[in-house]
């Protein structure tokens, strides 16, 4: 299977110039599905820390590049929304956050904030033993004791060290949110109204932003904390 992908066909969220060259690196299988951006693109095209795949591989061999607290050795490892990137030797830390064009961008954060990651709950199932398994937007799963505390579309902050939930943001009117896809990707505001649509159609969400009021579908909305807009950890 090829490890290259045509630039013109990459997802809109990828931070690459589509017309500079014909091909770019293809993401390996992993978190975030097709939306995941290969780490090489972040290192080379976004940050400029390396000039080639060979340099990226050498850098990763030093175990000083972490994603969500774990050292990464594969330059094709997918990076996606709300991942935490840590460059230990440089003492630099970033949160992956959608910008207003829908592209994934890097928000500088402090070392303490890099210890945990935001996740949107997209599934909740009962498992053997009575625990509840939560599935997050990037495919991560974790077990919780109290099923009633969490619902789909809520957001949680998970510790990178032990996988424990350290903060919980409820999806409800009045919650601070960001749109992560669609025409309003990257915009932040407060939920004014959740319009429940009968049948299988998506629910609409009316959001009051700083400058305007906009509407998007529920799938594109993620609850955040005000600290996520200024480099804080959401706690």
């Amino acid at each position: 299977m090829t490890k290259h992908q045509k630039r013109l066909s990459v997802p809109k969220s990828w931070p690459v110039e589509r017309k500079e060259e014909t091909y770019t690196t293809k993401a390996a299988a992993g978190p975030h599905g097709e939306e995941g951006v290969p780490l090489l693109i972040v290192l080379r095209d976004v940050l400029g820390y390396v000039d080639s795949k060979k340099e990226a591989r050498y850098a990763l061999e030093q175990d000083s590049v972490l994603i969500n607290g774990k050292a990464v050795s594969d330059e094709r490892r997918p990076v996606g929304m709300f991942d935490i990137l840590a460059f230990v030797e440089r003492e630099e830390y970033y949160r992956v956050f959608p910008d207003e064009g829908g592209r994934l961008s890097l928000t500088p954060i402090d070392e303490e904030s890099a210890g945990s990651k935001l996740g949107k709950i997209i599934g909740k199932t009962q498992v053997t033993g009575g625990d509840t398994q939560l599935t997050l937007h990037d495919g991560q799963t974790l077990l919780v004791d109290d099923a009633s505390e969490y619902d789909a579309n809520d957001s949680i902050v998970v510790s990178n060290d032990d996988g424990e939930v350290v903060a919980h943001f409820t999806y409800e009117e009045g919650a601070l949110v960001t749109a992560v896809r669609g025409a309003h990707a990257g915009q932040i505001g407060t939920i004014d109204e959740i319009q429940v649509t009968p049948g299988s159609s998506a629910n609409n969400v009316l959001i009051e932003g700083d400058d305007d009021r906009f509407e998007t579908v529920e799938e594109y909305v993620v609850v955040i904390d005000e600290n996520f807009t200024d480099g804080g950890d959401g706690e």
Side-chain angles (χ1 to χ4, degrees), residues 173-196:
E173 293 178 357
L176 184 68
V177 297
T178 184
V180 296
R181 293 198 296 278
H184 300 285
Q187 290 185 241
I188 293 172
T190 302
I191 295 180
D192 184 55
E193 182 181 356
I194 300 172
Q195 298 178 330
V196 178

Side-chain angles (χ1 to χ4, degrees), residues 3 5 14 23-27 38 40-41 44 53 76:
K3 294 183 179 181
Q5 178 166 332
W14 285 31
Y23 293 97
T24 188
T25 300
K26 187 175 183 180
L40 173 61
I41 289 178
R44 182 189 62 200
K53 185 182 298 185
R76 295 172 58 229

Side-chain angles (χ1 to χ4, degrees), residues 79-96:
V79 177
M81 186 175 66
F82 302 125
D83 276 343
I84 301 296
L85 273 65
F87 299 91
V88 179
E89 293 183 357
R90 294 174 176 265
E91 297 184 347
E92 293 181 6
Y93 308 91
Y94 299 94
R95 177 182 294 115
V96 181

Side-chain angles (χ1 to χ4, degrees), residues 60-80:
L60 297 178
E61 287 174 357
Q62 313 310 308
D63 290 336
S64 61
V65 179
L66 312 182
I67 298 180
N68 303 328
K70 297 178 176 58
V72 181
S73 59
D74 184 359
E75 77 280 0
R76 295 172 58 229
R77 196 275 193 193
V79 177

Side-chain angles (χ1 to χ4, degrees), residues 193-212:
E193 182 181 356
I194 300 172
Q195 298 178 330
V196 178
T197 305
S200 59
S201 299
N203 293 339
N204 291 327
V205 184
L206 300 180
I207 299 170
E208 192 70 44
D210 290 336
D211 301 318
D212 64 349

